[in-house]
Amino acid sequence: MFRSHPCFAALWTQPIRGLESRARSIGQPSTPRTRLTAALCGVALAAGTLLSAPAATAQASAYPTSTFDVTVGNTYTRGTITWYNRSVTVTGEQKSVDGFSCRGTSVFTLDSADVELSREFSANVCGMSSNFTVPVDANVPGGAAVVRICLDDGGSPATYFLCKRYGHP
């Protein structure tokens, strides 16, 4: 199938060093035309790969983002909210300064009437900083209107030290 395409046919007829006699013995002569076709096909394939790469990046950046920062003393959770049609993803860093006083990040999605749609939690961090990613559903048309992010004690149930609300941009 591929060997019938001009680009691939040219590649199959190219002799490999030391195998020129083998290529000639099976009836596939090497000519300047086949070498030129192979070179042009290689350039076209490489150009197609390079030109298609930015499309994936442009798609990812099409979603709106907001930054957040919830700080209490020397501890914090901060980062970026990415707003999707029926969910949000919160990525960032959280910090606890004391190994015996853990911290976590709680994320709530709310609709336009301030009704909670869903909530998720990060892993706890104790006495250090840690990166996190928390995806949260918002399964209503248009997604979440508001995200509430809380710095908590990492317990279950969590004790919230401070919560902040961030509206959809």
Side-chain angles (χ1 to χ4, degrees):
M1 174 179 164
F2 289 115
R3 290 183 186 205
S4 63
H5 190 276
C7 287
F8 293 105
L11 293 174
W12 291 116
T13 61
Q14 291 300 304
I16 300 172
R17 280 188 208 171
L19 297 179
E20 290 90 353
S21 61
R22 170 103 171 99
R24 285 189 197 107
S25 70
I26 58 173
Q28 297 178 341
S30 173
T31 66
R33 182 174 181 233
T34 58
R35 280 185 239 139
L36 177 62
T37 304
L40 291 175
C41 288
V43 169
L45 290 171
T49 302
L50 292 174
L51 293 175
S52 66
T57 311
Q59 234 176 1
S61 65
Y63 297 107
T65 60
S66 304
T67 58
F68 70 92
D69 185 349
V70 182
T71 301
V72 176
N74 291 329
T75 63
Y76 59 80
T77 181
R78 58 178 66 133
T80 303
I81 305 164
T82 304
W83 303 81
Y84 301 103
N85 188 32
R86 294 200 177 248
S87 67
V88 298
T89 298
V90 177
T91 57
E93 180 185 26
Q94 56 192 5
K95 178 182 177 185
S96 162
V97 293
D98 183 357
F100 297 104
S101 182
C102 298
R103 296 292 183 262
T105 302
S106 298
V107 182
F108 304 82
T109 54
L110 308 169
D111 67 11
S112 57
D114 276 347
V115 174
E116 183 180 312
L117 300 171
S118 187
R119 72 173 82 174
E120 294 293 336
F121 311 94
S122 70
N124 296 337
V125 60
C126 304
M128 57 187 246
S129 296
S130 156
N131 292 327
F132 67 91
T133 298
V134 179
V136 188
D137 288 334
N139 201 11
V140 295
V146 175
V147 171
R148 184 172 65 219
I149 299 177
C150 302
L151 181 65
D152 62 55
D153 67 350
S156 183
T159 299
Y160 304 117
F161 297 118
L162 179 64
C163 296
K164 290 187 178 180
R165 297 167 47 95
Y166 299 88
H168 192 291

